[in-house]
Amino acid sequence: MMTRDLLALGPMLITAGGAVVLLLALAVCRSHAFASAWSVLVLAAALAAIPMTWPGAPASGDLLNLLAIDSWALAFWGIIFGSALVVCLLGFEYFRPLAVQAEEFYVLVLLSATGAAVLAAADHFATVFLGLELLSVSLFALAAYRRDQAISIEAGIKYLVLAGTSSALLLFGLALLYFHTASLRLSGLAGPLLAGHPDTIALYAGIALVLVAMGFKLGLAPMHVWTPDVYQGSPAPVSALVGSVSKAGAMAFMVRLAGVTLTGTPGVRNGVFYGLLVLAIASMFTGNLLALRQPNIKRLLAYSSIAHMGYCLLAVLPMAAGAALDRQAVFYYMLAHAVSILGAFGCVCAASENGREAQHVEDYRGLAWRRPVLAGVFSLMLLSLAGIPLTAGFLGKFYVLASGVRNALWLPAVCLVINSGIGLFYYLRVLGTLYQREEAESPDQFATSTAPSALLQPSPQLLLTHLTLAALVVLLIYFGLMPALASLPM
Amino acid sequence: MNIPAGHVMIVAAVLLATGLFGVIVRRNIVLVLMSLEIMLNAAALAFVAGGSARGADGQVMFLLILTLAAAEVSVGLALVLQLYRRFKTLDVSAAASMKG
Amino acid sequence: MALALAAEGPIWPLGVYFVLVVVLAAGILAFSYVLGQRHRQQATDVPYESGMTPTGGARLRFPVDFYLVAMFFVIFDLESVFLFVWAVAVRELGWAGYVEVLIFMAVLLAALAYLWRSGALDWRASGSKPAPDKERGQ
């Protein structure tokens, strides 16, 4: 039993142990290259360990009261560790020219990936809380990582206050659920709910608080206010991490939660269903409408990710039916979103130089004429976010829409279609800017943004970033053409 | 004297509301962190109350919350130091440059 | 509580006691104001009139390293809570629990080693600007 437990935990143990070993290694001698290489190695090993544990361990022993290491969790571990790997690769050349000590970045990335992995597999209130805190505490340290910039500290503090509030609300909600059901297990929640306990205010308030807290984590509409600020203020690789790892872990847990509560008593089921429906529709419209006239590319991506989480909820809504198809739709959507958002922020990293991030859409004007390949990659990522065919984003959106139509969820499905149309506007606006020829040496151009043409010269030092982007493009096309991973049994 | 668990839950809810109010209205970052701590402690109290009749599970959750809240607030204090170094004030509204 | 007291005996002695306390305190203040002598000398308003003279204000600015040490203390102190939980159930947990606690301690020690080597525990740096890590590490 012991060895089987260890094997099941393998990928997570590798990242957790890797973080501790890296910390010790930093105590002995500091080396940015070593820290980066080590974390990439650790995450690659964790990824390689996932197929060995597939399709998850059968429930045995005390350990698996805490974690449900099933194929669902393992699939999301794939997204989480893969995204963290890409973030480490992007981080190396992002932090190299900066004056800040960059080694701890990798420790924090490993820890946040471990936290997201715990959250994705959590089946017990203790592990839910542990995973969420490990994820968010590392993230606010990461958001404020560029201490040389006021905006980064601001992002860290905003994330600290809002994430702290949301974890407290989550905990209180879990305590209320514990009070009502006498069980600390998430899957144990289904039993008492089904057994016809009288619904109390504690039950409703508990579920509502947990949903609100997870809405915070996912950046769903009324709780989205932190998202644009954190995306803008954090260093670009950290924004990529927030958009991929943190969202994947939270969404994996959200699906577990929905799966349990949507099979509860009629009162609970209706409450959760309509709650999620409102969140989904509100997120789609809020995200897309606020992105329409957004001049800052990082904020634009933040608003776009708010809308994307709203789209993804469409496939979470029918979770009561428990159809594997809906779960696969959520997984594929999160996979496609992770690849696209990592690629988009990777392009922001590649376009930035000497510590100054190319944040403004105007910085990208005429990028296609100066760095055509980078502009092409960026266009692909934006097209994938917009859901244009031949990209992963299209298939993800297609599966989610199919899931909505199959379950006759007409209202959110129609909202998704309308919002995809709205979304096209601002993605195409950025795309158009990329391909616009720069006005020849117009003087006001140089006055407004500090000489973008000089800053966006291709640089030979960004080899690793470019290779990473190339790999992401291959993945994007591969997932767009070959939906092999979409039919994983889960 | 026997206090029913429901009453303790009400106290915990009041504490949570107090903390939430503090987080929303306070401008001083140290007081915001204290309000966060009050909210986390409210949740911890609720776990103890919820578990009072059902063994030690709730109390184990309390210990877990205690330690993780300490970790969270420590990172928070580190950020407070950075805020002070940068803006020479503890007023959170000083760090509100991002809009849009 | 008030009901329980009332059942055991009359409550008016408590009221008399309260009134006496107020009268006594007010009386002492009033009498010493009326009868007492007054003097204004150099040391009259000093906190310790016949003790040592205080120097400087109380609103000192402490070096920021104190906060750092306080944070480390809070974290390491609270982590020891888990050891108590383990100690309560040490026989039931057996050797597996022992190994797990050892791993837990090893992680804490790793964090401590990191703090030590990165100069966070360096008291010489307190008050002055901390030296760059690279110089101190070697």
Side-chain angles (χ1 to χ4, degrees):
Chain A
M1 184 199 93
M2 193 76 185
T3 45
R4 197 201 285 164
D5 284 357
L6 283 180
L7 194 66
L9 278 177
M12 209 155 67
L13 287 182
I14 290 173
T15 51
V20 175
V21 170
L22 182 55
L23 205 62
L24 271 179
L26 290 185
V28 177
C29 97
R30 288 187 165 273
S31 154
H32 186 190
F34 169 76
S36 172
W38 172 259
S39 54
V40 167
L41 202 70
V42 164
L43 287 165
L47 272 180
I50 290 173
M52 285 189 216
T53 38
W54 191 268
S60 80
D62 295 332
L63 170 85
L64 298 159
N65 282 332
L66 294 172
L67 296 167
I69 304 177
D70 43 17
S71 48
W72 175 251
L74 286 173
F76 269 83
W77 286 6
I79 300 183
I80 289 166
F81 294 140
S83 309
L85 180 71
V86 171
V87 169
C88 285
L89 288 172
L90 292 176
F92 181 62
E93 279 162 345
Y94 179 88
F95 283 108
R96 198 169 46 183
L98 298 184
V100 292
Q101 285 186 351
E103 289 85 1
E104 279 80 4
F105 171 78
Y106 302 98
V107 180
L108 291 168
V109 169
L110 286 176
L111 286 177
S112 64
T114 312
V118 172
L119 187 59
D123 191 35
H124 190 278
F125 293 168
T127 38
V128 172
F129 177 54
L130 202 60
L132 198 72
E133 283 295 280
L134 191 51
L135 176 62
S136 34
V137 172
S138 341
L139 278 182
F140 34 82
L142 280 172
Y145 202 85
R146 288 196 66 177
R147 287 177 295 171
D148 54 329
Q149 291 199 328
I151 191 178
S152 185
I153 295 168
E154 183 182 337
I157 284 176
K158 282 181 172 167
Y159 195 60
L160 163 74
V161 172
L162 285 170
T165 312
S166 79
S167 352
L169 293 179
L170 176 94
L171 270 180
F172 199 82
L174 293 179
L176 285 171
L177 291 179
Y178 176 52
F179 184 68
H180 180 78
T181 64
S183 158
L184 279 175
R185 289 196 60 181
L186 194 64
S187 46
L189 205 59
L193 286 181
L194 280 176
H197 269 225
D199 290 0
T200 59
I201 189 150
L203 176 68
Y204 287 120
I207 290 177
L209 282 175
V210 174
L211 279 185
V212 165
M214 291 319 290
F216 258 116
K217 271 279 141 210
L218 285 172
L220 294 173
M223 291 81 75
H224 68 281
V225 281
W226 61 272
T227 320
D229 287 348
V230 170
Y231 273 57
Q232 184 192 348
S234 308
V238 176
S239 313
L241 191 77
V242 176
S244 54
V245 169
S246 157
K247 296 276 157 82
M251 188 54 91
F253 175 67
M254 188 68 148
V255 167
R256 274 187 207 279
L257 185 72
V260 172
T261 50
L262 286 173
T263 50
T265 56
V268 172
R269 193 168 56 224
N270 283 335
V272 173
F273 182 82
Y274 288 109
L276 286 179
L277 187 70
V278 169
L279 288 183
I281 294 176
S283 307
M284 290 182 205
F285 279 104
T286 314
N288 280 324
L289 292 179
L290 288 177
L292 273 182
R293 294 187 54 79
Q294 182 51 244
N296 185 307
I297 193 86
K298 286 169 93 181
R299 290 182 87 83
L300 187 136
L301 289 172
Y303 285 123
S304 128
S305 90
I306 293 171
H308 277 285
M309 291 306 114
Y311 298 152
C312 192
L313 276 193
L314 178 54
V316 179
L317 281 173
M319 220 37 98
L325 283 174
D326 302 321
R327 289 173 155 254
Q328 286 164 356
V330 175
F331 167 70
Y332 208 74
Y333 198 86
M334 293 311 289
L335 180 68
H337 181 257
V339 173
S340 326
I341 205 88
L342 285 170
F345 277 111
C347 291
V348 174
C349 285
S352 311
E353 207 154 84
N354 293 331
R356 185 196 166 276
E357 285 183 4
Q359 288 205 352
H360 208 271
V361 173
E362 285 305 310
D363 292 342
Y364 294 84
R365 184 176 294 281
L367 187 70
W369 307 100
R370 279 171 282 129
R371 298 170 68 176
V373 179
L374 182 61
V377 172
F378 201 17
S379 321
L380 262 180
M381 296 303 163
L382 288 174
L383 288 176
S384 172
L385 285 173
I388 302 295
L390 300 185
T391 59
F394 168 73
L395 270 187
K397 202 174 266 182
F398 175 76
Y399 285 133
V400 164
L401 192 61
S403 158
V405 169
R406 194 170 51 241
N407 294 286
L409 297 164
W410 299 113
L411 177 68
V414 168
C415 286
L416 187 146
V417 174
I418 294 173
N419 275 286
S420 298
I422 302 176
L424 264 185
F425 272 112
Y426 60 85
Y427 294 122
L428 288 182
R429 177 168 62 86
V430 178
L431 269 182
T433 319
L434 286 181
Y435 291 94
Q436 230 158 33
R437 195 178 276 283
E438 233 169 335
E439 270 119 81
E441 313 291 305
S442 69
D444 59 323
Q445 183 86 32
F446 283 84
T448 48
S449 59
T450 50
S453 53
L455 281 164
L456 295 181
Q457 287 304 310
S459 87
Q461 290 117 34
L462 291 176
L463 183 67
L464 196 59
T465 306
H466 288 156
L467 285 179
T468 311
L469 283 176
L472 283 174
V473 167
V474 171
L475 281 180
L476 191 80
I477 303 290
Y478 176 74
F479 289 140
L481 295 177
M482 308 259 184
L485 283 182
S487 50
L488 285 177
M490 53 180 72
Chain B
M1 202 159 63
N2 215 344
I3 301 173
H7 292 191
V8 184
M9 291 303 271
I10 292 172
V11 173
V14 171
L15 268 179
L16 186 84
T18 312
L20 189 59
F21 182 73
V23 168
I24 293 168
V25 301
R26 287 290 180 184
R27 293 286 99 201
N28 187 315
I29 180 72
V30 176
L31 291 177
V32 170
L33 281 183
M34 281 170 68
S35 304
L36 270 183
E37 192 79 344
I38 291 175
M39 285 177 82
L40 284 169
N41 282 326
L45 179 63
F47 264 110
V48 173
S52 58
R54 304 170 178 127
D57 281 1
Q59 288 157 44
V60 173
M61 279 303 283
F62 172 77
L63 292 180
L64 208 59
I65 294 171
L66 202 67
T67 46
L68 284 170
E72 189 172 305
V73 168
S74 297
V75 177
L77 280 177
L79 280 176
V80 169
L81 292 184
Q82 292 299 330
L83 177 84
Y84 188 77
R85 272 192 194 148
R86 189 83 207 177
F87 298 99
K88 296 287 167 223
T89 173
L90 289 176
D91 193 345
V92 271
S93 47
S97 63
M98 288 185 282
K99 295 230 160 48
Chain C
M1 291 300 270
L3 283 176
L5 265 180
E8 280 162 23
I11 204 167
W12 61 265
L14 195 66
V16 172
Y17 179 71
F18 180 73
V19 171
L20 273 181
V21 167
V22 172
V23 167
L24 190 65
I28 289 172
L29 285 176
F31 275 111
S32 62
Y33 182 78
V34 175
L35 301 177
Q37 52 174 331
R38 259 158 246 183
H39 65 100
R40 291 214 59 84
Q41 255 116 42
Q42 217 174 356
T44 304
D45 289 336
V46 169
Y48 307 104
E49 196 178 335
S50 45
M52 62 194 290
T53 25
T55 56
R59 291 177 171 261
L60 279 179
R61 294 183 60 165
F62 291 99
V64 90
D65 303 65
F66 285 110
Y67 289 89
L68 215 56
V69 171
M71 281 180 223
F72 298 151
F73 174 74
V74 166
I75 292 180
F76 282 101
D77 190 42
L78 278 178
E79 299 303 332
S80 67
V81 158
F82 291 117
L83 292 185
F84 287 105
V85 178
W86 169 69
V88 168
V90 65
R91 291 205 189 280
E92 288 89 334
L93 291 173
W95 286 107
Y98 183 67
V99 172
E100 279 164 26
V101 163
L102 280 188
I103 294 173
F104 175 69
M105 293 300 290
V107 173
L108 279 188
L109 282 178
L112 189 64
Y114 168 77
L115 288 179
W116 170 48
R117 291 288 297 180
S118 59
L121 304 177
D122 201 343
W123 281 94
R124 281 170 304 171
S126 65
S128 63
K129 263 227 176 291
D133 282 313
K134 280 185 183 135
E135 289 168 30
R136 232 184 296 146
Q138 279 134 28

